[in-house]
């Protein structure tokens, strides 16, 4: 007779049901596991044998066959231990057989019978709920699995489960982990002498735009980037769940805690392709997925591998990443907001005249950034060195993160009222045509600038999206809901000042290739 229990195979954040079938028949004493198990699953035989021995149970001297169905789906990880052990225990009468048939189990076994947490408990529990089954897991996963809203049984060891199923000592259902606000974020009031950078940061927060900060060392690029999370709205419930599923698979949900604050990931420039994009033997999520619905900060951008930088191009557009392997294709969400910072040359000089190697140093340094990548940046913000007089100023700050968040929230409110809650940076081209209404003077300015500077089609639409955000920020400052939401000439002029070539020292034409040009700053006043 075959004994069954359910578990799952994780493909990204998707938990695919796996039917664990155990049959004990007479014959040569063999314990075999079939169904494309990997090394960790195959080694579960010894963990299960030792765990059952710790309960005083021995495997029968017969042929034990464990089938993990569907057989053509690769099975990876140690979380199959608990399901296989419970199915065997039901087959030998140690636990009621009807218990396993209505359950899904997930967890690793220790040699002493203890249950150890495994990554991916939250998507596994949600899959069990979708099948209408109770979910059995280690106590360490209980708070995380409880967020699924299903019937959760969390135990410290196999003996606790046996006592629970026999009614000797029932286990209480675990409570969901806490929803916490996260770490404190530095206040934008700490920034001195970078009003243009602060303005760009508020625009990025209001519309979800990507931003590149460039300037000499010590001008405040990193300080600005670290303060962006303080301008963003907390995660909505559905966004919190999306992010928690990714963190669960990565094993980054301690005590089942969910964070309301948007993630801020800042990998070192030596990070590999797999670390940034995701990958490895089991296709784990990378930094871009861990920054989903939040901020990915790349400091010293040209120091990253050019291959890694260019690999961001597709996720920046689609908001997701597919990791392909010979036998699978794993999808992770990656709708992150990119914030990058860079010096203008390897030497860190403020201008080509100050660099000891001359203009060639800047050209070689900037050549590490491809035109197609830079074309995906909404705001390019050149920053100057902060004056000592600004640093020495002792007057109290007149602007802080709470005020900036209120401004950005006003613009986001207008965006929510117009659509489905997506920021301006994420709306489609068709939606841009419908939502961005330019006054004649604004349309003429944009058309002239596009022809003169060779904006790409992507650059043209990104300028329209940024213009929409600038207009939303302007309109949200009124006390009443705006009736006329037309984008005016000044909105487009400011958007072009962040978008047009020359912002970081190179002119980018229609083909996206960098032409040699000395660093210059294009001001919005040039278009009035």
């Amino acid at each position: 007779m075959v004994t069954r229990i359910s578990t799952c195979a994780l493909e990204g954040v998707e938990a695919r049901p796996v039917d664990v079938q155990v049959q004990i028949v007479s014959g040569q004493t063999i314990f075999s596991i079939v169904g494309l198990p990997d090394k960790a699953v195959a080694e579960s035989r010894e963990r299960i044998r030792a765990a059952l021995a710790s309960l005083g149970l021995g495997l029968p001297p017969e042929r034990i066959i464990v089938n993990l169905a569907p057989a053509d789906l690769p099975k990876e990880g140690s979380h199959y231990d608990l399901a296989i052990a419970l199915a065997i225990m039901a087959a030998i009468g140690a636990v009621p057989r009807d218990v396993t048939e209505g359950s899904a189990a997930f967890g690793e076994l220790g040699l002493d019978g203890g249950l150890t947490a495994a990554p991916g408990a939250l998507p596994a529990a949600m899959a069990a709920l979708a099948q209408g089954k109770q979910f059995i897991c280690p106590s360490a996963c209980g708070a995380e699995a409880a967020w699924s809203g299903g019937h959760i049984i969390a135990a410290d060891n196999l003996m606790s489960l046996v006592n629970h199923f026999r009614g000797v000592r029932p286990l209480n259902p675990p409570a969901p982990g806490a929803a916490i606000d996260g770490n404190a974020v530095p206040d934008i009031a700490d920034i001195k002498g970078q009003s243009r950078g602060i303005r760009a940061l508020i625009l990025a927060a209001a519309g979800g735009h990507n931003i590149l900060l460039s300037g000499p060392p010590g001008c405040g690029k990193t300080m600005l980037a670290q303060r962006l999370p303080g301008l963003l709205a907390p995660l909505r419930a559905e966004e919190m769940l999306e992010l928690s599923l990714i963190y669960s698979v990565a094993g980054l949900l301690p005590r089942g805690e969910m964070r309301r604050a948007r993630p801020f990931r800042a990998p070192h420039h030596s990070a590999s392709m797999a670390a940034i994009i995701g990958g490895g033997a089991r296709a784990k999520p990378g930094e871009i997925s861990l920054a989903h619905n939040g901020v990915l900060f790349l400091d010293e951008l040209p120091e990253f591998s050019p291959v890694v930088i260019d690999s961001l191009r597709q996720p920046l557009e689609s908001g997701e990443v597919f990791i392909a392997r010979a036998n699978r294709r794993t999808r992770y969400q990656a709708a992150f907001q990119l914030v990058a910072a860079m010096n203008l040359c390897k030497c860190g000089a403020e201008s080509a005249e100050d660099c000891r190697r001359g203009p060639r140093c800047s050209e070689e340094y900037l050549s590490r950034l491809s035109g197609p990548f830079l074309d995906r940046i909404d705001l390019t913000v050149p920053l100057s060195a902060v004056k000592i007089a600004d640093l020495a100023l002792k007057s109290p700050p007149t602007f802080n993160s709470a005020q900036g968040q209120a401004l950005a929230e006003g613009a986001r409110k207008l965006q929510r009222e117009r659509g489905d809650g997506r920021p301006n940076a994420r709306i489609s081209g068709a939606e841009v045509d419908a939502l961005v209404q330019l006054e004649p003077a604004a349309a003429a300015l944009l058309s002239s600038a596009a022809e003169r500077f060779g904006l790409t089609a992507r650059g043209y639409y990104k300028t329209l999206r940024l213009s929409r955000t600038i207009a939303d920020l302007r309109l949200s400052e009124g006390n009443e809901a705006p009736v006329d939401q037309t984008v005016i000439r000044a909105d487009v002029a400011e958007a072009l000042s962040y978008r047009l070539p020359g912002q970081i020292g190179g002119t980018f034409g229609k083909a996206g290739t960098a032409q040699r040009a000395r660093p210059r700053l294009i001001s919005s006043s040039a278009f009035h």
Side-chain angles (χ1 to χ4, degrees):
M1 187 175 181
V2 177
T3 304
R4 285 182 165 87
I5 192 171
S6 292
T7 185
C8 67
L10 295 173
E11 290 189 349
V13 297
E14 180 184 356
R16 296 187 57 180
V18 171
D19 186 23
V20 180
Q21 306 166 2
V22 172
Q23 186 177 51
I24 300 178
V25 295
S26 59
Q28 186 178 2
T29 303
I30 294 177
F31 184 1
S32 61
I33 300 176
V34 298
L36 285 185
D38 74 343
K39 185 68 173 176
V41 180
E43 289 175 347
S44 67
R45 293 174 298 185
E46 301 307 320
R47 292 191 294 271
I48 292 169
R49 196 189 305 274
L52 294 181
S54 70
L55 302 181
L57 298 174
L59 294 177
E62 297 178 277
R63 186 181 184 90
I64 302 173
I65 304 172
V66 179
N67 180 40
L68 305 177
D72 60 345
L73 178 66
K75 317 301 188 305
E76 299 175 343
S78 60
H79 64 270
Y80 294 92
D81 290 6
L82 181 56
I84 296 173
L86 288 176
I88 292 175
M89 292 170 69
I92 64 178
V95 296
R97 189 182 295 266
D98 59 339
V99 170
T100 59
E101 293 179 352
S103 304
F106 184 95
E108 180 183 332
L109 278 178
L111 299 183
D112 59 353
L115 304 185
T116 305
L122 180 56
M126 294 180 66
L129 176 63
Q131 298 175 68
K133 298 185 176 183
Q134 65 181 1
F135 185 69
I136 307 171
C137 65
S139 294
C141 298
E144 177 183 334
W147 281 105
S148 67
H151 181 203
I152 309 299
I153 300 174
D156 292 321
N157 48 58
L158 280 178
M159 181 58 73
S160 297
L161 287 177
V162 172
N163 291 333
H164 173 79
F165 293 139
R166 290 180 173 177
V168 176
R169 186 177 296 176
L171 297 168
N172 295 322
I180 60 177
D181 293 326
N183 300 326
V185 178
D187 200 290
I188 206 168
D190 302 333
I191 305 294
K192 295 182 179 181
Q194 294 294 3
S195 57
R196 178 175 171 82
I198 293 174
R199 167 68 176 177
L201 214 61
I202 294 172
L203 289 174
H209 299 285
N210 303 318
I211 181 171
L212 173 60
L213 305 168
S214 62
C219 68
K221 303 184 295 293
T222 302
M223 288 184 68
L224 282 165
Q226 291 172 340
R227 282 148 181 79
L228 178 58
L231 305 177
L232 300 175
L235 290 168
R236 302 191 305 271
E238 60 272 21
E239 292 176 327
M240 192 187 304
L241 178 60
E242 289 176 357
L243 184 65
S244 297
L245 288 170
I246 296 172
Y247 274 57
S248 175
V249 171
L252 298 176
L253 280 184
R255 300 176 297 279
E257 294 174 344
M258 289 192 178
R259 294 179 180 267
R260 298 188 186 94
R262 296 185 181 271
F264 181 85
R265 306 290 299 186
H268 190 261
H269 61 255
S270 62
S272 66
M273 173 85 78
I276 299 295
I277 300 299
R282 297 178 185 173
K284 292 294 185 180
E287 291 291 335
I288 63 172
S289 296
L290 297 176
H292 178 60
N293 290 326
V295 177
L296 177 67
F297 176 44
L298 301 183
D299 202 2
E300 306 297 347
L301 179 64
E303 299 295 338
F304 283 82
S305 166
V307 176
V308 171
I309 295 174
D310 280 334
S311 68
L312 299 176
R313 286 154 52 179
Q314 181 264 337
L316 281 171
E317 292 290 301
S318 64
E320 59 185 4
V321 61
F322 290 91
I323 303 171
R325 295 290 182 267
N327 57 355
R328 71 175 63 186
R329 188 167 180 258
T330 303
R331 172 186 175 272
Y332 285 111
Q333 291 175 297
F336 60 93
Q337 185 174 356
L338 177 65
V339 180
M342 59 175 289
N343 299 325
L344 292 178
C345 72
K346 188 78 172 178
C347 304
E350 186 171 0
S351 66
E353 290 80 4
D354 298 330
C355 180
R356 63 176 181 265
R357 295 179 57 199
R360 182 179 178 182
C361 180
S362 176
E363 293 170 359
E364 291 176 353
Y365 197 58
L366 297 179
S367 68
R368 295 175 63 85
L369 307 178
S370 69
F373 170 78
L374 290 172
D375 201 32
R376 288 164 168 80
I377 303 296
D378 302 299
L379 296 107
T380 302
V381 187
L383 302 174
S384 302
V386 181
K387 298 178 181 179
I388 298 300
D390 292 330
L391 295 176
L393 195 62
K394 300 300 182 182
S395 59
T398 58
F399 191 81
N400 56 37
S401 291
Q403 294 170 297
Q405 187 182 50
L407 286 174
E409 178 56 29
R412 290 191 293 261
K413 182 180 179 181
L414 290 177
Q415 296 166 41
R416 289 193 298 269
E417 292 172 353
R418 283 196 302 264
D420 58 1
R422 285 175 298 153
N424 286 333
R426 290 285 172 188
I427 60 177
S428 66
E431 290 171 312
V432 170
D433 293 336
L435 299 176
V436 184
Q437 302 298 326
L438 302 178
E439 68 175 12
L445 173 61
L446 180 56
S447 177
S448 173
E451 288 296 326
R452 179 181 175 186
F453 294 100
L455 287 182
T456 63
R458 179 187 290 110
Y460 177 81
Y461 274 96
K462 281 189 172 292
T463 302
L464 287 174
R465 293 184 180 96
L466 182 56
S467 300
R468 178 72 272 171
T469 299
I470 295 170
D472 289 342
L473 205 58
R474 170 177 54 81
L475 295 169
S476 67
E477 294 175 354
N479 295 325
E480 299 180 359
V483 177
D484 183 6
Q485 297 193 12
T486 303
V487 176
I488 63 175
R489 190 177 192 276
D491 302 330
V492 173
E494 184 177 359
L496 287 170
S497 74
Y498 295 115
R499 180 74 208 171
L500 286 178
Q503 295 286 56
I504 56 170
T507 302
F508 293 89
K510 293 182 179 179
T513 55
Q515 302 171 6
R516 303 310 182 190
R518 292 176 60 183
R520 59 191 179 95
L521 171 63
I522 296 178
S523 170
S524 60
S525 61
F527 303 100
H528 289 286

